Amino acid sequence: MTSRLVSALGNNTVAALLGVNKDRPNRWASGKDVPNEENRIQLADLDALVGHLLSVFTPAQAILWMEGQNPHLNARPIDVYRLEGAAPVIEAIRAHEQGAFA
């Protein structure tokens, strides 16, 4: 799962979304280290989010969308994800997909 996330979003974005050191995702993906239980839960949550993102955006667009201001969330999706998890961000992706902007 970590390899898929790093491949889709890049190591630094995955680390930023999970709030871990920048070396962690690559170490997990390569098998040099194993995520703890909390990180495994975060990885599963992020994997669900990335599945929704990539159904609507290319990987490059997904990163830009996550880091840009979103009118549906009144915040940057990356910040909302860090505070509230995937659910509200997935809702904003669906709203974007349907053409709703506020």
Side-chain angles (χ1 to χ4, degrees):
M1 178 176 11
T2 306
S3 296
R4 181 173 58 246
L5 292 170
V6 169
S7 176
L9 298 177
N11 182 73
N12 291 346
T13 300
V14 172
L17 286 168
L18 297 178
V20 298
N21 290 333
K22 290 185 180 183
D23 68 328
R24 287 292 125 199
N26 275 334
R27 291 183 62 78
W28 296 334
S30 69
K32 292 180 182 174
D33 201 356
V34 178
N36 63 29
E37 184 177 345
E38 180 183 340
N39 292 140
R40 285 193 301 271
I41 292 168
Q42 289 176 311
L43 286 164
D45 193 52
L46 182 56
D47 191 49
L49 172 61
V50 169
H52 285 277
L53 278 170
L54 296 181
S55 72
V56 177
F57 303 109
T58 66
Q61 290 170 331
I63 293 168
L64 290 173
W65 186 86
M66 287 293 292
E67 293 176 349
Q69 188 69 19
N70 182 277
H72 184 82
L73 297 169
N74 291 318
R76 296 182 327 151
I78 192 169
D79 297 328
V80 173
Y81 174 80
R82 287 180 187 144
L83 293 172
E84 301 179 39
V89 180
I90 290 170
E91 184 181 316
I93 294 167
R94 289 180 180 146
H96 174 87
E97 192 173 24
Q98 295 172 359
F101 297 106

